[in-house]
């Protein structure tokens, strides 16, 4: 191979490497730590469904508002022969600029005092809007609902994967 051919092949190989790297990172997503704290209200719309609304803070979103729906899907076994309930929740968290993160939460709620339940479970990020369009992620849910006063507090801790285009 002569020097000119070797030089051309080196340039072509370098350009192909840069193009491949650019194509790989252009649609890459990044797993980022995600923490969210939210306090609000719960209003039962039937014996097994409720609406939630709240406000709080989340990493990558800042101040948020929340809007959700909860459905009781069965019983949960709790310590001390207490009977709790299993629930599924769809929640949307909205940043101050209007960008949204949507989640699906599965939880087991057990009584800790009359009318007060502690819930643990998991969440998955099901999508988003704005800079969170196409977001995914997962983690753990922890929360408490005081059904005597209609108040809730919850926390999510895990990861969120944001697509960078």
């Amino acid at each position: 191979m002569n020097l000119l051919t070797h030089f051309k092949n080196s340039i072509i190989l370098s350009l192909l490497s840069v193009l491949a790297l650019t194509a790989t990172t252009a649609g890459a997503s990044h797993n980022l730590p995600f923490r969210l704290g939210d306090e609000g209200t719960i209003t039962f719309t039937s014996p097994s469904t409720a609406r939630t609304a709240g406000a709080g803070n989340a990493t990558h979103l800042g101040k948020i508002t929340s809007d959700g729906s909860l459905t009781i899907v069965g019983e949960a076994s709790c310590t001390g022969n207490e009977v709790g309930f299993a629930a599924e929740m769809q929640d949307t968290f909205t940043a101050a600029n209007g960008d949204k993160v949507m989640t699906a939460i599965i939880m087991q709620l057990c009584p800790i005092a009359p009318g007060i339940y502690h819930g643990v479970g998991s969440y998955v990020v099901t999508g988003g809007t704005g800079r969170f369009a196409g977001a995914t992620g997962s983690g753990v849910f922890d929360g408490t609902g005081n059904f005597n006063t209609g108040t809730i507090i919850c926390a999510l801790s895990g990861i969120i994967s944001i697509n960078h285009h």
Side-chain angles (χ1 to χ4, degrees), residues 2-165:
N2 69 30
L3 186 59
L4 185 58
T5 303
H6 177 70
F7 181 71
K8 285 182 193 175
N9 288 343
S10 294
I11 290 176
I12 291 170
L13 186 58
S14 295
L15 286 173
L16 288 175
S17 296
V18 168
L19 289 173
L21 182 59
T22 302
T24 301
T25 58
S29 61
H30 300 282
N31 289 333
L32 302 169
F34 183 67
R35 297 206 188 294
L36 180 145
D38 188 36
E39 295 184 33
T41 60
I42 185 165
T43 305
F44 279 88
T45 54
S46 79
S48 62
T49 59
R51 298 288 312 161
T52 62
N57 285 287
T59 51
H60 315 294
L61 284 105
K63 291 186 178 188
I64 58 162
T65 58
S66 65
D67 179 42
S69 62
L70 179 133
T71 303
I72 297 171
V73 295
E75 289 186 356
S77 296
C78 301
T79 58
N81 295 324
E82 297 281 344
V83 176
F85 55 94
E88 296 176 354
M89 186 169 182
Q90 308 298 316
D91 218 334
T92 299
F93 302 101
T94 305
N97 71 351
D99 290 353
K100 298 178 184 208
V101 171
M102 283 79 95
T103 60
I105 303 167
I106 298 171
M107 65 186 93
Q108 304 287 314
L109 293 114
C110 292
I112 56 174
I116 302 173
Y117 287 77
H118 178 240
V120 294
S122 61
Y123 75 89
V124 294
V125 175
T126 59
T129 65
R131 69 185 185 275
F132 301 102
T136 59
S138 62
V140 295
F141 165 88
D142 190 285
T144 302
N146 183 332
F147 302 137
N148 302 316
T149 60
T151 57
I152 56 172
I153 185 169
C154 75
L156 303 179
S157 179
I159 61 163
I160 189 166
S161 183
I162 302 170
N163 295 313
H164 294 281
H165 301 285

